[in-house]
Amino acid sequence: MKCRIMEPGIAILSVLWFLLARTHVMMGKFTPEVDSLVEHLRDALKQVGRNGRVIHIAHSQGSVITWLAAQRLKPEECKRIEIISFGGAATICTSEFPFARCINYYSVNDPILNVVPSAVKALKSGFSFGDGMQQEIIFLASRTGDPATDHGLLNPTYLEALVWEGQRYQSLFLSPLGQMAGAAFVGPLSSTVTWFPNFAYEMTRRAFIAMVRIFSLMWELVQVTITRLLGKGERYDPILLKTS
């Protein structure tokens, strides 16, 4: 069986975006991003063939886009797609869409839970929600204790589940040779899951701060240069002192 993994959705940490995401869900608003995802999924289905399966990974706002795109897909198309959502601004379940499989991972420390009623309901009702015996909303204990960090896809809390999903994919869809090749990457990643995300997060944060400082200095330099060229800088006239 052929299988293809889709790119994860874009992570957006702003609370404003969370609220906007929920507004889009309630209004049923379709955006160019939704149309693009529908086209992308259908193209992936053609590539894997009739007996193939597409595994689509979504995160944060990407889960809302996926939820809206699901409304445009035909039932026979959904049956060949698996949905794996991390910290989604919308939950996606087989009780609503006939996907082959739906899993929604949430960190119990993720601030996005404040705007996802279905996930909160599942949390209060015993950590289980879905169609039949399949547990489709899974809550993860925080690995960092920081809500903003926990929401990130490549930080310890979600990365641990992502690695597990990768191992599941290997065991179900790859040939023995493919499993050996995949283990060369997934194995080391699994063993370093506790330190690598923090390292990557810290390096990204420092790089971002450095870039902001560089752009700030460049902007100040441009302002000074323009002021001098236009002759609008401050001018100081010499003062003549009288001596007796």
Side-chain angles (χ1 to χ4, degrees):
M1 174 185 286
K2 293 182 179 180
C3 187
R4 179 176 178 180
I5 298 182
M6 311 304 295
E7 294 296 327
I10 299 175
I12 301 173
L13 298 181
S14 168
V15 174
L16 177 61
W17 270 104
F18 292 162
L19 297 176
L20 179 61
R22 296 305 304 169
T23 301
H24 282 190
V25 170
M26 290 184 291
M27 296 178 61
K29 183 177 180 180
F30 293 99
T31 64
E33 292 80 8
V34 175
D35 295 332
S36 178
L37 178 56
V38 171
E39 182 179 351
H40 191 47
L41 289 172
R42 285 175 174 165
D43 179 64
L45 288 172
K46 291 180 181 178
Q47 292 186 39
V48 299
R50 292 184 176 181
N51 296 323
R53 179 169 292 186
V54 171
I55 298 178
H56 174 69
I57 299 175
H59 174 248
S60 191
Q61 176 78 355
S63 299
V64 176
I65 297 175
T66 302
W67 187 90
L68 292 171
Q71 300 180 45
R72 304 276 296 275
L73 295 173
K74 299 177 181 178
E76 55 269 25
E77 293 174 328
C78 291
K79 291 177 181 179
R80 297 165 53 205
I81 299 175
E82 290 189 15
I83 303 295
I84 306 173
S85 173
F86 294 88
T91 54
I92 305 169
C93 297
T94 54
S95 58
E96 188 173 9
F97 304 105
F99 285 114
R101 176 175 177 254
C102 290
I103 294 293
N104 299 267
Y105 288 104
Y106 286 99
S107 165
V108 294
N109 207 27
D110 194 329
I112 203 170
L113 284 173
N114 295 320
V115 292
V116 187
S118 55
V120 174
K121 178 181 177 182
L123 183 61
K124 292 180 178 180
S125 63
F127 292 31
S128 174
F129 185 78
D131 187 16
M133 297 297 293
Q134 176 66 50
Q135 190 171 334
E136 296 186 347
I137 297 182
I138 298 177
F139 294 94
L140 308 172
S142 173
R143 297 292 186 269
T144 67
D146 179 13
T149 301
D150 272 346
H151 182 69
L153 178 62
L154 297 182
N155 275 285
T157 304
Y158 288 141
L159 185 56
E160 188 172 347
L162 186 60
V163 169
W164 184 88
E165 287 289 346
Q167 294 172 339
R168 174 185 179 275
Y169 165 78
Q170 288 184 357
S171 64
L172 293 179
F173 301 112
L174 292 185
S175 63
L177 181 61
Q179 292 182 31
M180 292 176 60
F185 171 75
V186 177
L189 179 60
S190 178
S191 64
T192 59
V193 71
T194 58
W195 69 266
F196 172 76
N198 288 328
F199 173 78
Y201 175 79
E202 182 63 20
M203 290 301 99
T204 302
R205 185 184 68 83
R206 293 184 180 184
F208 178 76
I209 293 175
M211 290 178 61
V212 170
R213 290 177 177 174
I214 291 174
F215 281 120
S216 178
L217 291 174
M218 291 178 62
W219 176 243
E220 290 181 5
L221 179 61
V222 169
Q223 286 181 315
V224 171
T225 303
I226 293 177
T227 300
R228 290 181 177 178
L229 290 176
L230 296 179
K232 295 183 178 181
E234 295 183 353
R235 300 179 62 180
Y236 300 92
D237 296 325
I239 299 176
L240 297 178
L241 298 177
K242 293 182 180 182
T243 58
S244 56

